[in-house]
């Protein structure tokens, strides 16, 4: 890199998209990733580095996938046993995807939902990860300026995936901790009416189930209310179910497919599912995204669009073999559930011992952690101040609720499945030390406040460069953190 | 599939993009593919099927790639030797791409251009195939309604890749057979002025070099004129160089990079290259697209957009190993050139013996075949009539010039590298039989015309259901084709 524009402002030279910041990377959600990238924790070489708890990855079962691959050299085109398929695979570029891959995916998706629903392989459309699935659906369903309603808190990258290049808008349906962040009919209607008042065409509702970031699943009553609403308004429902195979308690998870079977009068053209193998199989690098639509025209259009994000046929071929191995997928899904459940239990009970609660959850690779008790002020600024301390001093990349458009400050999404047990325990210890420190500071601060009250006038005069606890910048806390010392 | 919309027109329910036909698949270019798909030639099981000559694929050197893979099990994460890298690869989702992959690609791209230029790995951005590279560049450089000028004939799928979801327009720069379809300054300026007259903002020129469909490379003088033009107008130049490693006569190929080095005063922010491994390496299934931009802002923006079309890390990992093997890539590129040269020579000399000429070419996986002599009328309809006969009766999927927006009827793109020698000879034989038949028909028709002149009045009275040669539908020719008989 190094060439510079020789003349004038490059923003005129480029598109509005390129010149703007619709990519959303200015969010604290991504800032946390950058902090991790610049100083990543490593158990052997960088014990004091930032632990990545901002990435919803699942490393817990990769050993099973590796074992399967070792036992099935014929599934890869890069082994002596599989090389005979090389030409056919290397040259395959049909945007329908390898038929065997779509069949295996359909089967796997049914199984991940407890075998209660069947998927039609001909409705499966490939996309470049979940990212591509969201964008493709937005391109198919809405015009620039149109909106989808989305319950808050919601996955920050939706702003990039769903809106950036499509010009489609996301409008929040506010949810509150008093309801355990459940979607309510009143808020759903309010969001819709607000949009109408502002002359914005609402084309649908976008939701994650299981919820990212909450780790909760949508209950039957709420879901039925939502389905009835979209059907009555004749707007779309996109259910992002990319964590459907990551539910610890399967009986609690209800896929939109199940409800649709119960409601044959609903117009199926309104219903679409986004899926991916990045989370349930822990294979984000393979870029397998799936669109499943009940609308024929959307299937056709999305399939044409999949030219822009086809899955490498090398990867399709491998996964077609793997996912059509019934014994393996059954065992994998069951074991994945067990391990996630165990990890979730250990992590949340570890937090509880430290006096930190999370929203009760039964799914996903993260918890929604309640740090409201530690806010200096109950505002977005207060939350971000606390978050900067956690990133910079505690050296944990967790994601602040405000980056998920949460309406209440003090909540954080914390990922727990992208690390080994030892790293999780280090993270818990760091949180514990930090909580102790904050409690201590709070006590000191309260004492100081009492003291300062008496000295207010003289304090104002003396305040040139003095550090006042409640004004402390996150950075200034740093030298006093035992964790930071330990890491140097 | 099978659900139907219960209420009204689904086009209102969907986006304008989904309801429209901007995907361009209604073109005869894609119709030919469908004809092939419904009855594909197979040397052992379907000798009478359609031979696919509409797909610019390179199967000539896949044996070399297979041999390399067999000798390098460590390059794959699916072998015992390579499985240790599995976690790192399966989880890799950074949109910069694997550093080793970008480095290897940069090296390979330099080598494919005869080692005359160097590429900076930090300017390499991944995309989902060449398809994704084009769309990403359009999103970065132009707003909906803006235009790029493109010399005709041009690759039909650009309408989908560059325009469909971006709303960017392509405006033709007409080129003519009298100039061997070279770009001329007069036509370039005319296209630009026409756009200005119509109040269309021209953001740049898009060109393929080597040309798809012509198989020609751009000569230095024309290229310098073009560069000077875009630099003076301060518009972009996108050079699609995806056939740069498929030039039989390297000395004739000039990459835009070389010319830029000779012209240091030009604003490099205007220049962008699209590349892919689908053609030069014959790996379209792997979906490796590349954007190489000299503009920092475009590199940044395109990189963010590559989230939508990242290459599977499994594939990146394999190719990083393969392309960093210097001995292999040198040998591969040289041998690929030799084999393409040989195939091109055999095919064009075969056609020449049949009295069919092609535009002289030195690159690509196709020739631009001149069938003007066989047109019943020199119009697009005449061309499409001939084309339907070739598809339906001769059973060759070639692509008519009109689908490439060629201004002169009678030219066809014919791909020659996606088949073995035997299939090529069958194709030549079919063309030969067909040419003989057409010549015979023409003579008969001329005789008949002379005869009909005398009988004009009585002919009109008798003409109920009689077959008149120059009105024959392509399908009616079919029963008389010896080829079709042979295939039944």
């Amino acid at each position: 890199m190094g060439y510079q524009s020789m003349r004038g402002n490059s923003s005129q030279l480029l598109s509005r998209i390129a010149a703007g910041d619709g990519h959303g990377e200015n969010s604290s959600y991504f800032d946390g990733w950058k902090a991790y990238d610049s100083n990543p924790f490593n158990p052997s070489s960088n014990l004091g580095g930032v632990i990545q708890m901002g990435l919803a990855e699942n490393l817990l079962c990769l050993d099973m996938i590796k074992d399967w691959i070792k036992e099935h050299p014929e599934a890869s085109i890069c082994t002596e046993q599989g090389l005979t398929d090389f030409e056919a695979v290397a040259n395959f570029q049909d945007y329908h995807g390898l038929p065997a891959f779509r069949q295996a995916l359909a089967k796997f998706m049914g199984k991940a939902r407890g075998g209660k629903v069947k998927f039609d392989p001909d409705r499966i459309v490939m996309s470049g990860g979940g990212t591509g699935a969201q964008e493709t659906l937005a391109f198919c369903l809405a015009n620039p300026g149109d909106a989808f309603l989305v319950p808050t808190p919601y996955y920050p990258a939706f702003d990039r995936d769903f809106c950036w290049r499509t010009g489609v808008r996301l409008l929040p349906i506010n949810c509150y901790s008093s309801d355990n962040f459940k979607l309510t009919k009143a808020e759903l209607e309010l969001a819709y009416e607000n949009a109408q008042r502002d002359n914005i065409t609402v084309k649908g509702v976008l939701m994650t189930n299981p919820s990212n970031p909450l780790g909760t699943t949508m209950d039957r009553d709420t879901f039925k209310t939502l389905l009835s609403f979209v059907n009555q308004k004749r707007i779309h429902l996109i259910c992002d179910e990319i964590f459907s195979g990551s539910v610890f308690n399967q009986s609690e998870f209800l896929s939109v497919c199940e409800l649709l079977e119960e409601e044959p009068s609903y117009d199926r053209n309104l219903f679409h599912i986004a899926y991916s193998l990045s989370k349930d199989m822990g294979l984000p690098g393979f870029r397998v995204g799936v669109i499943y639509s009940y609308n024929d025209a959307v299937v056709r259009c999305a399939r044409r669009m999949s030219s822009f994000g086809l899955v490498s046929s090398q990867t399709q071929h491998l996964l077609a073999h793997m996912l059509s191995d019934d014994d393996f997928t059954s065992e994998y899904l069951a074991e994945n559930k067990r391990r996630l459940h165990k990890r979730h239990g250990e992590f949340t009970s570890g937090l509880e011992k430290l006096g930190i609660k999370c929203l009760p959850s039964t799914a996903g690779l993260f918890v929604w952690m309640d740090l409201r008790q530690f806010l200096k002020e109950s505002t977005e600024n207060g939350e971000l101040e606390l978050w900067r301390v956690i990133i910079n001093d505690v050296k944990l990349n967790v994601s602040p609720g405000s980056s998920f458009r949460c309406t209440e400050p003090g909540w954080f999404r914390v990922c727990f499945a992208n690390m080994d047990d030892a790293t999780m325990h280090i993270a818990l210890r760091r949180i514990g030390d930090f909580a102790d420190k904050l409690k201590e500071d709070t006590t000191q601060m309260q004492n100081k406040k009492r003291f300062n009250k008496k000295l207010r006038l003289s304090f104002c005069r003396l305040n040139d460069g003095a550090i006042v606890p409640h004004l402390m910048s996150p950075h200034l806390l740093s030298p006093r953190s035992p964790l930071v010392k330990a890491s140097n």
Side-chain angles (χ1 to χ4, degrees), chain A:
Chain A
M1 308 283 282
Y3 302 114
Q4 294 298 324
S5 173
M6 287 170 170
R7 296 173 226 171
N9 186 349
S10 76
S11 68
Q12 292 160 341
L13 194 59
L14 307 185
S15 67
R16 286 189 291 271
I17 288 178
D21 61 359
H23 50 77
E25 281 193 23
N26 303 333
S27 150
S28 45
Y29 178 74
F30 291 105
D31 283 346
W33 290 15
K34 288 170 203 157
Y36 166 76
D37 284 342
S38 66
N39 180 26
F41 171 83
N42 184 300
S44 49
S45 60
N46 189 19
L47 252 178
V50 176
I51 296 178
Q52 174 61 292
M53 305 187 93
L55 200 52
E57 271 179 5
N58 183 358
L59 300 187
L60 301 183
C61 287
L62 285 185
D63 59 312
M64 295 179 74
I65 295 178
K66 281 171 71 177
D67 286 346
W68 186 91
I69 287 174
K70 213 187 293 181
E71 287 158 21
H72 294 86
E74 76 286 357
S76 162
I77 52 167
C78 294
T79 59
E80 200 123 8
Q81 295 89 333
L83 203 56
T84 45
D85 292 324
F86 186 83
E87 280 94 341
V89 172
N91 271 289
F92 186 86
Q93 53 184 318
D94 181 338
Y95 56 32
H96 291 77
L98 286 167
F101 181 54
R102 274 190 291 122
Q103 272 158 25
L105 260 175
K107 217 167 163 185
F108 182 77
M109 285 171 69
K111 212 179 245 190
R113 284 154 189 80
K116 287 178 283 181
V117 281
K118 280 209 165 170
F119 289 89
D120 175 355
D122 288 340
R123 292 191 175 279
I124 285 185
V125 179
M126 271 181 309
S127 65
T131 300
Q134 289 299 338
E135 187 184 61
T136 299
L137 281 169
F139 270 127
C140 289
L141 303 179
N143 294 321
D146 290 350
F148 268 69
L149 308 178
V150 56
T152 63
Y154 70 84
Y155 174 53
F158 275 164
D159 290 327
R160 177 194 65 192
D161 301 352
F162 202 77
C163 305
W164 186 28
R165 307 197 303 183
T166 63
V168 177
R169 285 187 269 194
L170 286 178
L171 301 178
I173 308 167
N174 290 329
C175 302
Y176 300 98
S177 62
S178 52
D179 288 317
N180 276 340
F181 294 102
K182 267 190 197 174
L183 178 74
T184 65
K185 194 177 176 190
E187 289 293 335
L188 174 62
E189 283 171 348
L190 182 64
Y192 187 83
E193 283 156 17
N194 284 345
Q196 286 209 309
R197 188 200 57 210
D198 298 341
N199 282 322
I200 299 171
T201 303
V202 174
K203 288 302 288 281
V205 176
L206 167 64
M207 50 99 95
T208 51
N209 182 38
S211 162
N212 178 3
L214 301 175
T216 55
T217 56
M218 188 168 271
D219 65 275
R220 179 176 288 271
D221 285 347
T222 307
F223 217 156
K224 285 180 92 158
T225 302
L226 177 59
L227 254 70
S228 158
F229 181 84
V230 299
N231 189 65
Q232 186 242 318
K233 299 284 186 203
R234 195 157 163 72
I235 58 174
H236 298 277
L237 179 63
I238 300 175
C239 293
D240 182 324
E241 297 191 350
I242 68 172
F243 293 99
S244 50
S246 305
V247 185
F248 332 133
N249 184 349
Q250 191 68 53
S251 66
E252 286 201 13
F253 176 64
L254 193 61
S255 166
V256 67
C257 330
E258 289 174 68
L259 272 186
L260 279 181
E261 286 185 12
E262 295 173 17
E263 299 282 1
S265 70
Y266 285 178
D267 184 355
R268 294 195 168 206
N269 286 302
L270 305 173
F271 298 95
H272 322 276
I273 295 170
Y275 189 57
S276 151
L277 295 181
S278 301
K279 309 302 179 184
D280 288 349
M281 293 288 290
L283 299 171
F286 287 11
R287 311 311 300 146
V288 181
V290 173
I291 293 154
Y292 190 88
S293 176
Y294 290 90
N295 184 318
D296 292 349
V298 172
V299 169
R300 267 196 307 277
C301 183
R303 184 153 281 145
R304 284 170 175 146
M305 289 185 182
S306 67
S307 306
F308 299 106
L310 281 173
V311 180
S312 166
S313 54
Q314 181 194 17
T315 297
Q316 285 187 54
H317 183 75
L318 174 72
L319 294 175
H321 279 74
M322 191 185 293
L323 299 186
S324 60
D325 180 340
D326 246 348
D327 292 342
F328 171 71
T329 54
S330 298
E331 198 186 330
Y332 176 88
L333 283 165
E335 184 63 23
N336 185 43
K337 204 166 290 189
R338 269 195 293 277
R339 293 188 192 178
L340 281 173
H341 194 235
K342 182 166 174 279
R343 172 61 63 87
H344 176 266
E346 283 168 359
F347 188 64
T348 51
S349 63
L351 286 175
E352 246 183 74
K353 279 180 203 149
L354 304 171
I356 294 171
K357 288 203 169 146
C358 297
L359 184 77
S361 63
T362 56
L365 313 173
F366 33 72
V367 289
W368 192 236
M369 181 170 71
D370 180 1
L371 295 187
R372 286 178 294 179
Q373 60 182 309
F374 298 122
L375 293 183
K376 286 187 187 145
E377 53 178 60
S378 184
T379 62
E380 184 175 330
N381 275 342
E383 175 179 287
L384 289 176
E385 191 184 347
L386 178 62
W387 171 73
R388 280 188 287 268
V389 177
I390 300 174
I391 290 274
N392 295 327
D393 303 338
V394 190
K395 299 208 182 298
L396 300 178
N397 175 28
V398 301
S399 309
S402 53
S403 65
F404 296 81
R405 309 285 162 103
C406 185
T407 49
E408 297 173 37
W411 295 87
F412 293 80
R413 190 190 76 168
V414 189
C415 299
F416 57 72
N418 59 331
M419 59 192 68
D420 58 16
D421 281 335
T423 307
M424 180 198 69
H425 285 298
I426 294 172
L428 278 173
R429 204 160 57 233
R430 288 188 186 181
I431 296 171
D433 291 345
F434 168 63
D436 289 348
K437 182 84 192 66
L438 275 185
K439 282 171 196 158
E440 191 187 303
D441 280 354
T442 309
T443 317
Q444 274 180 9
M445 190 166 67
Q446 281 161 350
N447 292 339
K448 213 156 192 171
K449 263 186 184 161
R450 277 194 288 275
F451 180 67
N452 281 348
K453 252 188 192 164
K454 296 177 194 163
L455 290 174
R456 190 165 294 157
L457 275 172
S458 56
F459 172 80
C460 284
R461 268 177 233 132
L462 292 168
N463 185 20
D464 52 345
I467 295 164
V468 185
H470 71 279
L471 288 177
M472 271 199 295
S473 85
H475 208 73
L476 287 172
L477 262 176
S478 166
R480 302 204 306 238
S481 160
L483 289 162
V484 175
K485 274 182 203 153
S487 74
N488 286 336

